[in-house]
Amino acid sequence: MTSEDKIVPEPNKDKNQAQSNDSQLPESQGRREALKALATVPVLGALAYGVYKKQKYDKTMHDVSDVFKLSKETATIPELQPNGKQIRLGIIGCGIRGKQLLRAAGFATPDSLQKLIDSSKKDKKDSRYQLFREQENLNIALTGVCDIFDTFAEEGIAAGSNINREGVGGKLGPAPKRYRHYQEMLAADDIDAVIIATPDHWHSTMAMDAAKAGKHVYVEKPLSWTVPETYMIREVIKQTGVVFQLGHQGRQVDSYHKAKEILDKGLLGHVSLIEVCTNRNDPNGAWVYDIHPTANPQTVDWKQFEGDPERVKEYMDYMTAHNLAKYVGPDARDKFSLERFFRWRCWWDYSTGLSGDLLTHEYDAVNQLMGVGIPHSATSSGGVYFFKDGRTVPDVLQTTFEFPDKDMTMLYSATLASNRNRGKVIMGHDASMEVGDTLTVKVDSGSTRYKEKIEKGIIKPDVPFYTYVPGKSNVDAVTSATELYFAQRGLLYSYLGGKRYDTTFLHIREWLECIRDNSKKTSCGIDAAFDEAITAHMGTRAYLEGRTMYWDKDKEEIVRGEIN
């Protein structure tokens, strides 16, 4: 018996009374009766059931409209500015994420597109190439590519010249210029804006240098590697006035807009606890990336990879001051290592760990929905419990963030050695909401707001009451388990205005439109980025030092010791 099939008994009503009043039938029982009737009409059954579901949905929403009412509005995508200027773009870092960002901007290598073409010929349902071909032209030119690994740079150039989005043998456009050092790119006159997709330890340094050079900045998360540079980059971005976007493409997820409406209307009641999680269970998910066969000391500029001397000093000063030498290295920083070059996320020497890589996505979503800001405190625990490969960054991490001004706690729990599906759950007194590609609300059995509806059997607690699946013209009070299964795994896509979009494409598009019109603001600007970085650093320092970290909001400092 599934939760949908459970019947809520009506107290003080005999059997005849219940049968004589259809309006008092629990919805699951009414559904079964309808299905029995429809079974006798095989030809029209499917159509009739669709009508029945629509009627059921309308009735349920009508019966609860005094306590649960949402707008029918969905997020839309604004038109590109007419006659907007072409933006000349440079990219710094053409590795895994760099190529994904290029593709979202409209540039992909002929080789990668040929694979999609071949796949679509074998499987007519594979529409990836068609969707990429139809992706909106953002009116940009890729004029510069910078990477310290020759092969990645060559792939970036190949993508940038493939302006017709064709496979192998297609007609190419002008090739972007290769830059071996990012400072050379920033000095170029034909670069208006840069996308930065390098390892964490270079993010803020490159972003600051780009802003000082007058280039608009899109930088991948996290914002910063060290705490001191977090303050520096905020000041530089604000002083220079360049258009800045941090790479949290979750800001564009359709279901988050509906979740925010639910929260803003108080439909969950007071939220006291939020649980967010990361679960992965394969080497790639644990940052054990492939080592490229063409990489060697002649094709990789290791000296540049080591990092900016000022940032490295900030990192070492912190580690030394707090007796954290066991987390440094163990290899010398100037020792060439292909493993560390491709799998840099595994070492604090270059990485921000689970906090910077994955927690930041979860925190930014919560900050987007609720405006929580920087937490009052952070406490962390965990360790390297599965991947015994010499890494210094933990593969299991738990962090508790306290927000006493909001009477709320946020728990982050992560493991890189289990695929168990755990969602992002916002728990209120009246209902809980799980948010991802879809959105599901379950009313709490102890709710005050919905108490009367529960007692009348109109609302069944602790089972899906409201589910929002982007792209559907309607929402069902109870979505089928099968549809929910696929939606939660990203196999049902987010839609805007009835059309499917890549969220990274939308995030880059938004940034570009803000460059063209400085009256518009990016959704993940420098203030949101600062909140994200400080929150992640609090979690990381709590783990490294083994103690609770606090945020002194008056002094804007991470401190050790309780703040009154």
Side-chain angles (χ1 to χ4, degrees):
M1 179 182 289
T2 67
S3 58
E4 281 186 57
D5 294 326
K6 292 179 182 176
I7 298 175
V8 181
E10 294 278 350
N12 303 321
K13 288 187 181 288
D14 62 30
K15 183 177 179 180
N16 291 333
Q17 273 186 297
Q19 290 177 341
S20 66
N21 188 351
D22 288 343
S23 65
Q24 296 302 313
L25 280 175
E27 287 190 44
S28 57
Q29 186 175 337
R31 177 175 181 267
R32 286 201 302 273
E33 296 300 321
L35 287 173
K36 288 178 183 177
L38 291 173
T40 65
V41 193
V43 177
L44 299 178
L47 177 61
Y49 180 54
V51 173
Y52 162 74
K53 286 185 68 179
K54 175 68 166 61
Q55 291 174 341
K56 183 187 74 170
Y57 167 77
D58 290 342
K59 182 181 185 303
T60 300
M61 290 297 103
H62 179 268
D63 289 346
V64 301
S65 61
D66 56 330
V67 291
F68 191 97
K69 189 172 184 179
L70 295 172
S71 71
K72 294 183 179 180
E73 296 179 1
T74 57
T76 58
I77 181 170
E79 294 290 331
L80 283 177
Q81 295 174 51
N83 303 316
K85 70 172 184 178
Q86 185 182 66
I87 294 173
R88 300 166 299 176
L89 195 65
I91 185 162
I92 307 172
C94 295
I96 296 172
R97 185 56 180 161
K99 284 190 279 288
Q100 291 170 347
L101 288 162
L102 280 178
R103 180 169 169 171
F107 304 101
T109 66
D111 285 342
S112 67
L113 293 184
Q114 189 62 50
K115 292 178 182 177
L116 297 185
I117 293 170
D118 294 343
S119 180
S120 67
K121 290 178 180 178
K122 296 177 182 177
D123 181 1
K124 298 300 182 183
K125 294 181 180 180
D126 188 341
S127 60
R128 290 175 295 170
Y129 177 64
Q130 178 186 348
L131 290 171
F132 179 69
R133 288 275 295 180
E134 294 173 352
Q135 182 175 292
E136 188 178 27
N137 188 323
L138 295 178
N139 192 19
I140 54 179
L142 187 67
T143 52
V145 170
C146 179
D147 200 286
I148 60 174
F149 175 36
D150 290 344
T151 301
F152 283 172
E154 290 162 5
E155 290 173 345
I157 293 169
S161 61
N162 191 18
I163 58 175
N164 297 308
R165 305 183 184 183
E166 296 180 333
V168 174
K171 184 178 180 180
L172 301 178
K177 182 177 178 179
R178 160 84 188 274
Y179 293 92
R180 296 186 178 276
H181 197 288
Y182 78 94
Q183 291 281 17
E184 297 170 357
M185 174 185 285
L186 299 181
D189 294 331
D190 63 346
I191 302 284
D192 301 312
V194 294
I195 292 176
I196 299 169
T198 60
D200 294 355
H201 66 300
W202 272 110
H203 283 187
S204 280
T205 298
M206 291 178 173
M208 286 189 285
D209 288 343
K212 291 174 184 176
K215 315 299 184 186
H216 303 290
V217 176
Y218 182 110
V219 61
E220 261 305 306
K221 56 79 196 163
L223 174 66
S224 58
W225 178 51
T226 72
V227 172
E229 68 178 340
T230 311
Y231 299 91
M232 296 178 201
I233 186 171
R234 182 178 62 169
E235 182 178 358
V236 169
I237 295 300
K238 291 192 172 188
Q239 284 181 347
T240 59
V242 300
V243 177
F244 176 90
Q245 181 88 294
L246 187 65
H248 281 300
Q249 68 274 11
R251 293 266 169 169
Q252 311 298 330
V253 174
D254 184 16
S255 59
Y256 288 5
H257 297 286
K258 190 60 64 176
K260 182 167 174 54
E261 181 184 355
I262 289 171
L263 287 161
D264 289 347
K265 290 186 174 181
L267 301 181
L268 302 186
H270 173 67
V271 173
S272 58
L273 181 63
I274 298 174
E275 286 186 352
V276 293
C277 307
T278 295
N279 279 70
R280 296 178 172 183
N281 195 13
D282 67 275
N284 186 272
W287 313 311
V288 184
Y289 304 129
D290 292 340
I291 294 175
H292 202 286
T294 64
N296 57 60
Q298 286 69 50
T299 59
V300 174
D301 185 343
W302 183 261
K303 186 62 181 176
Q304 277 197 71
F305 177 75
E306 289 180 30
D308 180 80
E310 290 185 22
R311 299 289 86 76
V312 174
K313 183 177 185 303
E314 291 163 9
Y315 166 72
M316 290 304 301
D317 285 349
Y318 167 73
M319 292 300 214
T320 302
H322 298 284
N323 299 314
L324 302 174
K326 66 179 180 179
Y327 294 115
V328 177
D331 288 353
R333 199 171 191 90
D334 60 359
K335 179 184 176 182
F336 182 83
S337 168
L338 288 177
E339 186 178 29
R340 287 163 78 88
F341 182 73
F342 287 99
R343 301 170 182 171
W344 54 268
R345 290 192 187 277
C346 297
W347 291 275
W348 293 115
D349 287 358
Y350 323 100
S351 174
T352 53
L354 279 163
S355 291
D357 184 32
L358 299 172
L359 161 64
T360 50
H361 278 307
E362 305 301 323
Y363 163 79
D364 187 71
V366 172
N367 201 25
Q368 174 189 351
L369 296 177
M370 301 180 67
V372 294
I374 298 169
H376 171 70
S377 66
T379 306
S380 298
S381 65
V384 181
Y385 296 147
F386 188 83
F387 287 90
K388 306 291 186 176
D389 51 9
R391 67 181 63 201
T392 55
V393 166
D395 53 20
V396 172
L397 180 70
Q398 278 64 240
T399 303
T400 303
F401 296 103
E402 301 293 346
F403 298 87
D405 58 330
K406 295 186 178 296
D407 294 317
M408 188 190 80
T409 296
M410 185 177 94
L411 302 176
Y412 174 69
S413 175
T415 173
L416 300 182
S418 171
N419 273 331
R420 179 182 172 86
N421 183 41
R422 300 181 293 168
K424 190 189 333 296
V425 184
I426 300 172
M427 290 171 256
H429 166 67
D430 295 307
S432 63
M433 177 169 63
E434 185 168 347
V435 187
D437 292 335
T438 63
L439 179 158
T440 301
V441 174
K442 295 180 180 179
V443 171
D444 194 280
S445 59
S447 166
T448 301
R449 182 184 186 93
Y450 305 110
K451 181 179 180 181
E452 182 181 343
K453 306 295 182 183
I454 293 172
E455 290 176 346
K456 290 182 177 179
I458 296 172
I459 294 177
K460 292 187 294 182
D462 304 321
V463 298
F465 162 69
Y466 173 89
T467 297
Y468 178 72
V469 180
K472 291 185 66 173
S473 60
N474 209 335
V475 286
D476 196 340
V478 178
T479 299
S480 71
T482 301
E483 184 173 16
L484 201 58
Y485 174 90
F486 286 112
Q488 287 174 335
R489 285 153 180 78
L491 300 177
L492 293 179
Y493 300 95
S494 294
Y495 286 75
L496 297 178
K499 185 176 179 180
R500 180 186 129 183
Y501 289 97
D502 173 0
T503 53
T504 301
F505 160 79
L506 292 173
H507 210 47
I508 291 174
R509 183 187 193 272
E510 178 188 87
W511 171 61
L512 294 170
E513 287 295 272
C514 291
I515 293 172
R516 295 185 175 109
D517 181 355
N518 58 18
S519 68
K520 296 180 178 181
K521 302 297 181 185
T522 56
S523 58
C524 201
I526 192 59
D527 289 328
F530 182 83
D531 287 353
E532 173 247 46
I534 292 296
T535 301
H537 285 308
M538 288 175 67
T540 295
R541 286 191 167 188
Y543 169 78
L544 292 172
E545 297 185 37
R547 61 172 126 187
T548 299
M549 294 291 159
Y550 297 89
W551 177 244
D552 186 328
K553 61 182 179 181
D554 294 325
K555 295 180 180 179
E556 286 200 317
E557 292 178 356
I558 299 175
V559 298
R560 301 160 185 83
E562 182 67 59
I563 301 172
N564 295 326

